[in-house]
Coordinates of all heavy atoms in Angstrom, one line a residue:
M148 N 15.2 8.9 -6.5 CA 14.2 9.8 -6.0 C 14.5 10.0 -4.5 O 14.8 9.1 -3.8 CB 12.8 9.1 -6.2 CG 11.7 10.0 -5.8 SD 10.0 9.7 -6.4 CE 9.8 8.0 -6.2
G149 N 14.3 11.3 -4.1 CA 14.6 11.6 -2.7 C 13.5 11.2 -1.8 O 12.5 10.7 -2.2
S150 N 13.7 11.5 -0.5 CA 12.7 11.2 0.5 C 11.5 12.2 0.3 O 11.7 13.3 -0.1 CB 13.2 11.3 1.9 OG 13.7 12.6 2.2
P151 N 10.3 11.8 0.7 CA 9.2 12.7 0.6 C 9.3 13.9 1.5 O 9.9 13.8 2.5 CB 8.0 11.8 1.0 CG 8.5 10.7 1.8 CD 10.0 10.5 1.3
R152 N 8.7 15.0 1.0 CA 8.8 16.2 1.8 C 7.9 16.1 3.0 O 6.8 15.5 2.9 CB 8.3 17.4 0.9 CG 9.3 17.8 -0.2 CD 8.8 18.9 -1.0 NE 8.4 20.0 -0.1 CZ 7.8 21.1 -0.5 NH1 7.6 21.3 -1.8 NH2 7.4 22.0 0.4
V153 N 8.3 16.7 4.1 CA 7.5 16.7 5.3 C 6.9 18.1 5.4 O 7.7 19.0 5.4 CB 8.3 16.3 6.5 CG1 7.5 16.4 7.8 CG2 8.9 14.9 6.3
H154 N 5.6 18.2 5.6 CA 5.0 19.5 5.8 C 5.1 19.9 7.2 O 4.7 19.1 8.1 CB 3.5 19.4 5.4 CG 2.9 20.7 5.2 ND1 2.4 21.4 6.2 CD2 2.8 21.5 4.1 CE1 1.9 22.6 5.8 NE2 2.1 22.6 4.4
R155 N 5.8 21.0 7.5 CA 6.1 21.4 8.8 C 4.8 21.5 9.7 O 4.8 21.1 10.9 CB 6.8 22.7 8.8 CG 7.4 23.1 10.2 CD 8.1 24.4 10.1 NE 9.1 24.3 9.0 CZ 9.8 25.3 8.7 NH1 9.8 26.4 9.4 NH2 10.6 25.3 7.6
T156 N 3.7 22.1 9.2 CA 2.5 22.3 9.9 C 1.9 20.9 10.4 O 1.5 20.7 11.5 CB 1.5 23.0 9.1 OG1 2.0 24.3 8.7 CG2 0.2 23.3 9.9
T157 N 1.9 20.0 9.5 CA 1.4 18.6 9.8 C 2.3 18.0 10.9 O 1.8 17.4 11.9 CB 1.4 17.7 8.6 OG1 0.6 18.4 7.6 CG2 0.8 16.4 8.9
G158 N 3.6 18.2 10.8 CA 4.5 17.6 11.8 C 4.3 18.2 13.1 O 4.3 17.5 14.1
T159 N 4.0 19.5 13.2 CA 3.8 20.2 14.4 C 2.5 19.7 15.1 O 2.4 19.4 16.3 CB 3.7 21.7 14.2 OG1 5.0 22.2 13.7 CG2 3.5 22.5 15.6
S160 N 1.4 19.5 14.2 CA 0.2 19.0 14.8 C 0.3 17.6 15.3 O -0.2 17.3 16.4 CB -0.9 19.0 13.7 OG -1.3 20.3 13.4
L161 N 1.1 16.8 14.7 CA 1.4 15.4 15.2 C 2.2 15.5 16.5 O 2.0 14.7 17.4 CB 2.1 14.6 14.1 CG 1.2 14.2 12.9 CD1 2.1 13.6 11.8 CD2 0.1 13.3 13.3
E162 N 3.1 16.4 16.6 CA 3.9 16.6 17.8 C 3.0 17.0 18.9 O 3.1 16.5 20.1 CB 5.0 17.7 17.6 CG 5.8 18.0 18.8 CD 6.8 19.1 18.6 OE1 7.0 19.5 17.4 OE2 7.3 19.6 19.6
V163 N 2.0 17.9 18.7 CA 1.1 18.3 19.7 C 0.2 17.1 20.1 O 0.0 16.9 21.3 CB 0.2 19.5 19.2 CG1 -0.9 19.8 20.1 CG2 1.1 20.7 19.0
L164 N -0.3 16.4 19.1 CA -1.1 15.2 19.4 C -0.3 14.2 20.3 O -0.9 13.7 21.3 CB -1.5 14.5 18.1 CG -2.4 13.3 18.2 CD1 -3.7 13.6 18.9 CD2 -2.7 12.7 16.8
E165 N 0.9 14.0 20.0 CA 1.7 13.0 20.8 C 2.0 13.6 22.2 O 1.9 12.8 23.2 CB 3.1 12.8 20.1 CG 2.9 11.9 18.9 CD 4.3 11.6 18.2 OE1 5.3 12.0 18.7 OE2 4.2 11.1 17.1
A166 N 2.1 14.9 22.3 CA 2.3 15.5 23.6 C 1.1 15.3 24.5 O 1.2 15.0 25.7 CB 2.7 17.0 23.5
V167 N -0.1 15.6 23.9 CA -1.4 15.4 24.6 C -1.5 14.0 25.1 O -1.9 13.7 26.3 CB -2.6 15.8 23.8 CG1 -3.9 15.4 24.4 CG2 -2.6 17.3 23.5
T168 N -1.1 13.0 24.3 CA -1.2 11.6 24.7 C -0.1 11.2 25.7 O -0.4 10.5 26.7 CB -1.1 10.8 23.4 OG1 -2.1 11.2 22.5 CG2 -1.2 9.3 23.7
T169 N 1.1 11.7 25.5 CA 2.2 11.4 26.4 C 2.0 11.8 27.8 O 2.2 11.1 28.7 CB 3.5 11.9 25.8 OG1 3.8 11.4 24.5 CG2 4.7 11.6 26.7
I170 N 1.5 13.0 28.0 CA 1.3 13.6 29.3 C -0.1 13.3 29.8 O -0.5 13.8 30.9 CB 1.8 15.0 29.5 CG1 0.9 16.0 28.7 CG2 3.2 15.2 29.1 CD1 1.1 17.4 29.0
D171 N -0.9 12.6 29.0 CA -2.3 12.2 29.3 C -3.1 13.4 29.6 O -3.8 13.5 30.6 CB -2.3 11.2 30.5 CG -3.6 10.5 30.6 OD1 -4.3 10.4 29.5 OD2 -4.0 10.1 31.7
G172 N -3.0 14.4 28.7 CA -3.8 15.6 28.9 C -3.1 16.7 29.7 O -2.2 16.4 30.4
G173 N -3.5 17.9 29.4 CA -2.9 19.0 30.2 C -3.4 20.4 29.7 O -4.2 20.4 28.7
T174 N -3.1 21.4 30.5 CA -3.5 22.7 30.1 C -2.6 23.2 29.0 O -1.6 22.6 28.6 CB -3.3 23.7 31.3 OG1 -1.9 23.8 31.6 CG2 -4.1 23.2 32.5
L175 N -3.0 24.4 28.4 CA -2.2 25.0 27.4 C -0.8 25.3 27.8 O 0.2 25.0 27.1 CB -2.9 26.3 26.9 CG -2.4 27.0 25.7 CD1 -2.6 26.1 24.4 CD2 -3.2 28.3 25.4
S176 N -0.7 25.8 29.0 CA 0.7 26.1 29.6 C 1.5 24.8 29.8 O 2.7 24.8 29.4 CB 0.5 26.8 30.9 OG -0.1 28.0 30.8
E177 N 0.9 23.8 30.3 CA 1.6 22.5 30.5 C 2.1 21.9 29.1 O 3.2 21.4 29.0 CB 0.7 21.5 31.2 CG 0.5 21.9 32.6 CD -0.6 21.0 33.3 OE1 -1.5 20.4 32.6 OE2 -0.6 20.9 34.5
L178 N 1.2 22.0 28.1 CA 1.5 21.5 26.8 C 2.6 22.3 26.2 O 3.5 21.8 25.5 CB 0.3 21.3 25.9 CG -0.7 20.2 26.4 CD1 -2.0 20.4 25.7 CD2 -0.1 18.9 26.0
S179 N 2.5 23.6 26.4 CA 3.6 24.6 25.9 C 4.9 24.2 26.5 O 5.9 24.2 25.8 CB 3.2 26.0 26.2 OG 4.2 26.9 25.7
D180 N 4.9 24.0 27.8 CA 6.2 23.6 28.5 C 6.7 22.3 27.9 O 7.9 22.2 27.7 CB 6.0 23.5 30.0 CG 5.7 24.8 30.7 OD1 6.0 25.9 30.1 OD2 5.2 24.8 31.8
H181 N 5.8 21.4 27.7 CA 6.3 20.1 27.2 C 6.8 20.1 25.8 O 7.8 19.4 25.5 CB 5.1 19.1 27.3 CG 5.5 17.7 26.9 ND1 6.1 16.8 27.8 CD2 5.3 17.0 25.8 CE1 6.3 15.7 27.2 NE2 5.8 15.7 26.0
T182 N 6.2 20.9 24.9 CA 6.5 20.9 23.5 C 7.5 22.0 23.2 O 8.2 21.9 22.1 CB 5.3 21.1 22.6 OG1 4.7 22.4 22.9 CG2 4.3 20.0 22.8
G183 N 7.6 23.1 24.0 CA 8.4 24.2 23.7 C 7.8 25.1 22.6 O 8.4 26.1 22.2
L184 N 6.5 24.9 22.3 CA 5.8 25.8 21.4 C 5.2 26.9 22.1 O 4.8 26.8 23.2 CB 4.7 25.0 20.6 CG 5.2 23.8 19.7 CD1 4.0 23.0 19.3 CD2 5.9 24.4 18.5
A185 N 5.1 28.1 21.4 CA 4.4 29.2 21.9 C 2.9 28.9 22.1 O 2.4 28.1 21.3 CB 4.6 30.4 21.0
T186 N 2.3 29.4 23.1 CA 0.9 29.1 23.4 C 0.0 29.5 22.2 O -1.0 28.8 22.0 CB 0.4 29.7 24.7 OG1 0.6 31.1 24.6 CG2 1.1 29.1 25.9
S187 N 0.3 30.5 21.5 CA -0.5 31.0 20.4 C -0.4 29.9 19.3 O -1.4 29.6 18.7 CB -0.1 32.3 19.9 OG 1.3 32.3 19.5
T188 N 0.8 29.4 19.0 CA 0.9 28.4 18.0 C 0.2 27.1 18.4 O -0.5 26.4 17.7 CB 2.4 28.1 17.8 OG1 3.1 29.3 17.3 CG2 2.7 27.0 16.7
L189 N 0.5 26.7 19.7 CA -0.1 25.5 20.2 C -1.6 25.5 20.2 O -2.3 24.6 19.8 CB 0.4 25.3 21.7 CG 0.0 24.1 22.4 CD1 0.5 22.8 21.7 CD2 0.6 24.1 23.8
Y190 N -2.2 26.7 20.5 CA -3.7 26.8 20.6 C -4.3 26.5 19.2 O -5.3 25.8 19.1 CB -4.0 28.2 21.0 CG -5.5 28.4 21.1 CD1 -6.3 27.9 22.2 CD2 -6.2 29.1 20.1 CE1 -7.6 28.1 22.2 CE2 -7.6 29.3 20.1 CZ -8.3 28.8 21.2 OH -9.7 28.9 21.3
T191 N -3.6 27.1 18.2 CA -4.1 26.9 16.8 C -4.1 25.4 16.4 O -5.1 24.9 15.9 CB -3.3 27.6 15.8 OG1 -3.3 29.0 16.1 CG2 -3.8 27.5 14.4
H192 N -3.1 24.7 16.8 CA -3.0 23.3 16.5 C -4.0 22.5 17.3 O -4.6 21.5 16.8 CB -1.6 22.7 16.7 CG -0.6 23.2 15.7 ND1 -0.5 22.6 14.4 CD2 0.2 24.3 15.7 CE1 0.4 23.3 13.7 NE2 0.9 24.3 14.4
L193 N -4.1 22.8 18.6 CA -5.1 22.2 19.4 C -6.5 22.3 18.9 O -7.3 21.4 19.0 CB -5.0 22.7 20.9 CG -3.8 22.1 21.7 CD1 -3.6 22.9 22.9 CD2 -3.9 20.6 22.0
Q194 N -6.9 23.5 18.5 CA -8.2 23.8 17.9 C -8.5 22.9 16.7 O -9.6 22.3 16.6 CB -8.4 25.2 17.6 CG -8.5 26.1 18.8 CD -9.6 25.7 19.7 OE1 -9.3 25.2 20.8 NE2 -10.8 25.8 19.4
T195 N -7.5 22.7 15.9 CA -7.7 21.8 14.7 C -7.9 20.4 15.2 O -8.7 19.7 14.7 CB -6.4 21.9 13.8 OG1 -6.3 23.3 13.4 CG2 -6.5 21.0 12.6
L196 N -7.1 20.0 16.2 CA -7.2 18.6 16.7 C -8.5 18.4 17.4 O -9.1 17.3 17.3 CB -6.0 18.3 17.6 CG -4.7 18.2 16.9 CD1 -3.5 18.2 17.9 CD2 -4.6 17.0 16.0
V197 N -9.0 19.4 18.1 CA -10.3 19.3 18.8 C -11.4 19.2 17.7 O -12.3 18.3 17.8 CB -10.6 20.5 19.7 CG1 -12.0 20.6 20.1 CG2 -9.6 20.4 20.9
E198 N -11.4 20.0 16.7 CA -12.4 20.0 15.7 C -12.4 18.7 14.9 O -13.5 18.2 14.5 CB -12.2 21.1 14.7 CG -12.6 22.5 15.2 CD -12.3 23.6 14.3 OE1 -12.3 23.4 13.0 OE2 -12.1 24.8 14.8
S199 N -11.2 18.0 14.8 CA -11.1 16.7 14.1 C -11.4 15.6 15.1 O -11.3 14.4 14.7 CB -9.7 16.6 13.5 OG -9.5 17.6 12.6
E200 N -11.6 15.9 16.4 CA -12.0 14.9 17.4 C -10.8 14.0 17.8 O -11.0 12.9 18.4 CB -13.2 14.1 17.0 CG -14.4 14.9 16.8 CD -15.6 14.1 16.4 OE1 -15.5 12.9 16.2 OE2 -16.7 14.7 16.3
Y201 N -9.6 14.4 17.5 CA -8.4 13.7 18.0 C -8.1 14.1 19.4 O -7.4 13.3 20.2 CB -7.2 13.9 17.1 CG -7.3 13.2 15.8 CD1 -7.7 13.9 14.6 CD2 -7.0 11.9 15.7 CE1 -7.8 13.3 13.4 CE2 -7.2 11.2 14.4 CZ -7.6 11.9 13.3 OH -7.7 11.3 12.1
V202 N -8.5 15.2 19.8 CA -8.3 15.8 21.2 C -9.7 16.3 21.6 O -10.4 16.8 20.8 CB -7.2 16.9 21.1 CG1 -7.2 17.6 22.4 CG2 -5.9 16.3 20.8
V203 N -9.9 16.2 22.9 CA -11.1 16.8 23.5 C -10.7 17.9 24.5 O -9.6 17.7 25.2 CB -12.1 15.8 24.2 CG1 -12.8 15.0 23.1 CG2 -11.4 14.9 25.2
R204 N -11.5 18.9 24.7 CA -11.2 19.9 25.7 C -12.2 19.8 26.8 O -13.4 19.8 26.5 CB -11.2 21.3 25.0 CG -10.9 22.4 26.0 CD -10.8 23.7 25.4 NE -10.5 24.7 26.4 CZ -10.4 26.0 26.1 NH1 -10.6 26.5 24.9 NH2 -10.1 26.9 27.1
R205 N -11.7 19.7 28.0 CA -12.6 19.6 29.2 C -12.1 20.8 30.1 O -11.1 20.6 30.7 CB -12.4 18.3 29.9 CG -12.9 17.1 29.0 CD -12.9 15.8 29.8 NE -12.9 14.6 29.0 CZ -13.9 14.2 28.3 NH1 -15.1 14.8 28.3 NH2 -13.8 13.1 27.6
G206 N -12.9 21.8 30.1 CA -12.5 23.0 30.9 C -11.2 23.6 30.3 O -11.2 23.9 29.1
D207 N -10.2 23.7 31.1 CA -8.9 24.2 30.7 C -7.9 23.1 30.2 O -6.8 23.5 29.8 CB -8.2 25.0 31.8 CG -9.0 26.3 32.1 OD1 -9.7 26.8 31.3 OD2 -8.8 26.8 33.3
E208 N -8.3 21.9 30.2 CA -7.4 20.8 29.8 C -7.8 20.2 28.5 O -9.0 20.1 28.1 CB -7.4 19.7 30.9 CG -6.9 20.2 32.2 CD -6.2 19.1 33.0 OE1 -6.1 18.0 32.5 OE2 -5.6 19.4 34.1
Y209 N -6.7 19.8 27.8 CA -6.9 19.1 26.5 C -6.5 17.6 26.8 O -5.4 17.3 27.4 CB -6.0 19.7 25.5 CG -6.4 21.1 25.1 CD1 -5.9 22.2 25.8 CD2 -7.3 21.3 24.1 CE1 -6.2 23.5 25.5 CE2 -7.7 22.6 23.8 CZ -7.1 23.7 24.5 OH -7.5 25.0 24.2
E210 N -7.3 16.7 26.3 CA -7.1 15.3 26.6 C -7.2 14.5 25.3 O -7.8 14.9 24.3 CB -8.2 14.7 27.6 CG -8.2 15.4 28.9 CD -9.3 15.0 29.8 OE1 -10.2 14.3 29.3 OE2 -9.4 15.4 30.9
P211 N -6.6 13.3 25.2 CA -6.7 12.5 24.0 C -8.2 12.2 23.8 O -9.0 11.9 24.7 CB -6.0 11.2 24.4 CG -5.1 11.6 25.5 CD -5.8 12.7 26.3
G212 N -8.6 12.2 22.5 CA -9.9 11.9 22.1 C -10.1 10.5 21.7 O -9.2 9.7 21.4
L213 N -11.4 10.1 21.6 CA -11.7 8.7 21.3 C -11.3 8.3 19.8 O -11.1 7.1 19.5 CB -13.2 8.4 21.5 CG -13.6 8.2 22.9 CD1 -15.1 8.0 23.0 CD2 -12.9 7.0 23.5
K214 N -11.1 9.3 19.0 CA -10.8 9.0 17.6 C -9.4 8.3 17.6 O -9.1 7.4 16.7 CB -10.7 10.3 16.8 CG -10.8 10.0 15.3 CD -11.1 11.3 14.5 CE -11.5 11.0 13.1 NZ -11.9 12.3 12.5
Q215 N -8.5 8.7 18.5 CA -7.2 8.0 18.6 C -7.4 6.5 18.9 O -6.7 5.7 18.4 CB -6.3 8.6 19.6 CG -5.8 10.0 19.3 CD -4.9 10.5 20.4 OE1 -3.9 9.9 20.6 NE2 -5.2 11.6 21.0
F216 N -8.3 6.3 19.8 CA -8.6 4.9 20.2 C -9.1 4.1 19.0 O -8.6 3.0 18.8 CB -9.6 4.9 21.4 CG -10.1 3.5 21.7 CD1 -9.4 2.6 22.4 CD2 -11.4 3.1 21.2 CE1 -9.8 1.3 22.7 CE2 -11.9 1.8 21.5 CZ -11.1 1.0 22.3
H217 N -10.0 4.7 18.3 CA -10.6 3.9 17.1 C -9.5 3.7 16.1 O -9.5 2.6 15.5 CB -11.7 4.7 16.5 CG -12.9 4.8 17.5 ND1 -13.6 3.7 18.0 CD2 -13.5 5.9 18.0 CE1 -14.6 4.1 18.8 NE2 -14.5 5.4 18.8
L218 N -8.6 4.6 15.8 CA -7.5 4.4 14.9 C -6.6 3.3 15.4 O -6.2 2.4 14.6 CB -6.8 5.7 14.6 CG -7.5 6.7 13.8 CD1 -6.6 8.0 13.8 CD2 -7.9 6.3 12.4
G219 N -6.3 3.3 16.6 CA -5.5 2.3 17.2 C -6.1 0.9 17.1 O -5.4 -0.1 16.9
E220 N -7.4 0.8 17.4 CA -8.1 -0.5 17.3 C -8.0 -1.0 15.8 O -7.8 -2.2 15.6 CB -9.6 -0.3 17.7 CG -9.8 -0.3 19.1 CD -9.6 -1.6 19.7 OE1 -10.3 -2.6 19.4 OE2 -8.6 -1.7 20.6
Q221 N -8.2 -0.1 14.9 CA -8.1 -0.6 13.5 C -6.7 -1.1 13.2 O -6.6 -2.2 12.5 CB -8.5 0.6 12.5 CG -10.0 0.9 12.6 CD -10.3 2.2 11.8 OE1 -9.4 2.8 11.1 NE2 -11.5 2.6 11.8
A222 N -5.7 -0.4 13.6 CA -4.3 -0.8 13.4 C -4.1 -2.2 14.1 O -3.4 -3.0 13.5 CB -3.4 0.2 13.8
R223 N -4.6 -2.3 15.3 CA -4.3 -3.5 16.1 C -4.9 -4.7 15.4 O -4.3 -5.8 15.3 CB -4.9 -3.4 17.5 CG -4.6 -4.6 18.4 CD -5.2 -4.3 19.7 NE -6.7 -4.4 19.6 CZ -7.4 -4.8 20.6 NH1 -6.9 -5.2 21.8 NH2 -8.7 -4.8 20.5
H224 N -6.1 -4.6 14.9 CA -6.7 -5.7 14.2 C -6.1 -6.1 12.9 O -6.3 -7.2 12.4 CB -8.2 -5.5 14.0 CG -9.0 -5.5 15.3 ND1 -9.2 -6.7 16.0 CD2 -9.5 -4.6 16.1 CE1 -9.9 -6.5 17.1 NE2 -10.1 -5.2 17.2
R225 N -5.3 -5.2 12.3 CA -4.6 -5.6 11.1 C -3.2 -6.1 11.4 O -2.5 -6.5 10.5 CB -4.5 -4.3 10.2 CG -5.8 -3.9 9.5 CD -5.5 -2.8 8.5 NE -4.9 -1.7 9.0 CZ -5.6 -0.6 9.5 NH1 -6.9 -0.6 9.5 NH2 -4.9 0.4 10.0
D226 N -2.8 -6.1 12.6 CA -1.5 -6.6 13.0 C -1.5 -8.1 13.3 O -2.2 -8.5 14.2 CB -1.0 -5.8 14.2 CG 0.4 -6.0 14.6 OD1 1.0 -7.1 14.4 OD2 1.1 -5.0 15.0
D227 N -0.7 -8.8 12.6 CA -0.7 -10.3 12.7 C -0.3 -10.7 14.2 O -0.7 -11.7 14.7 CB 0.3 -10.9 11.8 CG -0.2 -10.8 10.3 OD1 -1.4 -10.7 10.1 OD2 0.7 -10.9 9.4
R228 N 0.6 -9.9 14.8 CA 1.0 -10.2 16.2 C -0.2 -10.2 17.1 O -0.3 -11.1 18.0 CB 2.0 -9.2 16.7 CG 3.3 -9.3 15.9 CD 4.2 -8.2 16.3 NE 3.6 -6.9 15.9 CZ 4.1 -5.7 16.1 NH1 5.3 -5.6 16.7 NH2 3.5 -4.6 15.7
Y229 N -1.2 -9.3 16.9 CA -2.4 -9.3 17.8 C -3.2 -10.6 17.6 O -3.6 -11.2 18.5 CB -3.2 -8.1 17.5 CG -4.6 -8.1 18.1 CD1 -4.7 -7.9 19.5 CD2 -5.7 -8.4 17.3 CE1 -6.0 -8.0 20.0 CE2 -7.0 -8.5 17.9 CZ -7.1 -8.3 19.3 OH -8.3 -8.4 19.9
T230 N -3.3 -10.9 16.3 CA -4.1 -12.1 16.0 C -3.5 -13.4 16.6 O -4.2 -14.2 17.2 CB -4.2 -12.3 14.5 OG1 -4.8 -11.1 13.9 CG2 -5.1 -13.5 14.1
L231 N -2.2 -13.5 16.5 CA -1.5 -14.7 17.1 C -1.6 -14.7 18.6 O -1.9 -15.7 19.2 CB 0.0 -14.6 16.7 CG 0.3 -14.9 15.2 CD1 1.7 -14.7 14.9 CD2 -0.1 -16.3 14.8
A232 N -1.4 -13.5 19.2 CA -1.5 -13.4 20.7 C -3.0 -13.7 21.2 O -3.1 -14.4 22.2 CB -1.1 -12.0 21.2
R233 N -3.9 -13.3 20.4 CA -5.3 -13.5 20.8 C -5.6 -15.0 20.7 O -6.3 -15.6 21.6 CB -6.3 -12.7 19.9 CG -7.7 -12.8 20.3 CD -8.5 -11.9 19.5 NE -9.9 -12.0 20.0 CZ -11.0 -11.6 19.3 NH1 -10.8 -11.1 18.1 NH2 -12.1 -11.7 19.8
E234 N -5.2 -15.7 19.6 CA -5.4 -17.1 19.5 C -4.7 -17.9 20.6 O -5.3 -18.8 21.2 CB -4.9 -17.5 18.1 CG -5.8 -17.0 17.0 CD -5.1 -17.3 15.6 OE1 -4.0 -17.9 15.5 OE2 -5.8 -16.9 14.6
A235 N -3.5 -17.5 20.9 CA -2.8 -18.2 22.0 C -3.5 -18.0 23.4 O -3.6 -18.9 24.2 CB -1.3 -17.7 22.1
A236 N -4.0 -16.8 23.6 CA -4.6 -16.5 24.9 C -6.0 -17.3 25.0 O -6.3 -17.8 26.0 CB -4.9 -15.0 25.0
T237 N -6.7 -17.4 23.9 CA -7.9 -18.1 23.8 C -7.6 -19.6 24.1 O -8.3 -20.3 24.9 CB -8.6 -17.9 22.5 OG1 -8.9 -16.6 22.3 CG2 -9.9 -18.7 22.4
E238 N -6.6 -20.1 23.5 CA -6.2 -21.5 23.7 C -5.9 -21.8 25.1 O -6.3 -22.8 25.8 CB -5.1 -21.9 22.8 CG -4.7 -23.4 22.9 CD -3.5 -23.7 22.0 OE1 -3.4 -23.1 20.9 OE2 -2.7 -24.6 22.4
L239 N -5.1 -20.9 25.7 CA -4.7 -21.1 27.1 C -5.9 -21.0 28.1 O -6.0 -21.7 29.0 CB -3.7 -20.0 27.5 CG -2.3 -20.2 27.0 CD1 -1.4 -19.0 27.3 CD2 -1.6 -21.4 27.7
A240 N -6.8 -20.1 27.7 CA -8.0 -19.9 28.6 C -8.9 -21.2 28.5 O -9.5 -21.5 29.5 CB -8.8 -18.7 28.1
T241 N -8.9 -21.9 27.4 CA -9.7 -23.1 27.3 C -9.1 -24.3 28.1 O -9.8 -25.2 28.5 CB -10.0 -23.5 25.9 OG1 -8.7 -23.8 25.3 CG2 -10.7 -22.5 25.1
R242 N -7.8 -24.2 28.4 CA -7.1 -25.2 29.1 C -7.3 -25.1 30.6 O -7.2 -26.0 31.4 CB -5.6 -25.2 28.9 CG -5.3 -25.6 27.5 CD -3.8 -25.7 27.3 NE -3.4 -25.9 26.0 CZ -2.2 -25.9 25.5 NH1 -1.2 -25.6 26.4 NH2 -1.9 -26.1 24.3
V243 N -7.7 -23.9 31.1 CA -7.8 -23.6 32.5 C -9.1 -24.0 33.0 O -10.1 -24.1 32.5 CB -7.5 -22.1 32.8 CG1 -7.8 -21.8 34.3 CG2 -6.2 -21.8 32.4

């Protein structure tokens, strides 16, 4: 069986989401420069991300939304490395 098909539109939205996060927010022009996407294409993807609360718009700037934080928190709590590090930090704190 071959590799799963990647939907281009989904990939573009994820690229836009990563760009917003990487540059810690920016205007449509700044994000267009960063991604190389036309502003019309970028705007459509940003509107979808805003409606889904992955991105927030403040004036002319698009910034990472809290939904990303919540997803990251869920992933972090399922990661054994986090649990081990937290236990080790707690143990060290009790020694001090």
Side-chain angles (χ1 to χ4, degrees):
M148 184 159 50
S150 63
R152 289 182 46 186
V153 175
H154 196 275
R155 189 177 315 176
T156 303
T157 304
T159 302
S160 289
L161 291 171
E162 179 184 348
V163 171
L164 181 60
E165 288 179 10
V167 170
T168 303
T169 299
I170 67 172
D171 198 25
T174 64
L175 190 61
S176 295
E177 291 168 338
L178 290 164
S179 178
D180 290 343
H181 185 80
T182 61
L184 295 170
T186 54
S187 58
T188 301
L189 186 58
Y190 181 80
T191 302
H192 288 279
L193 284 167
Q194 287 307 109
T195 301
L196 293 167
V197 167
E198 287 177 24
S199 302
E200 300 179 357
Y201 288 99
V202 170
V203 288
R204 183 175 180 184
R205 298 188 199 283
D207 291 337
E208 294 213 358
Y209 295 89
E210 301 173 352
L213 283 177
K214 198 166 197 177
Q215 290 185 59
F216 171 76
H217 294 300
L218 290 175
E220 279 291 296
Q221 290 173 3
R223 182 179 71 149
H224 287 290
R225 286 190 302 270
D226 190 324
D227 291 338
R228 295 172 295 180
Y229 169 76
T230 303
L231 291 171
R233 185 172 182 202
E234 289 170 0
T237 301
E238 183 179 326
L239 286 172
T241 59
R242 290 183 188 175
V243 176

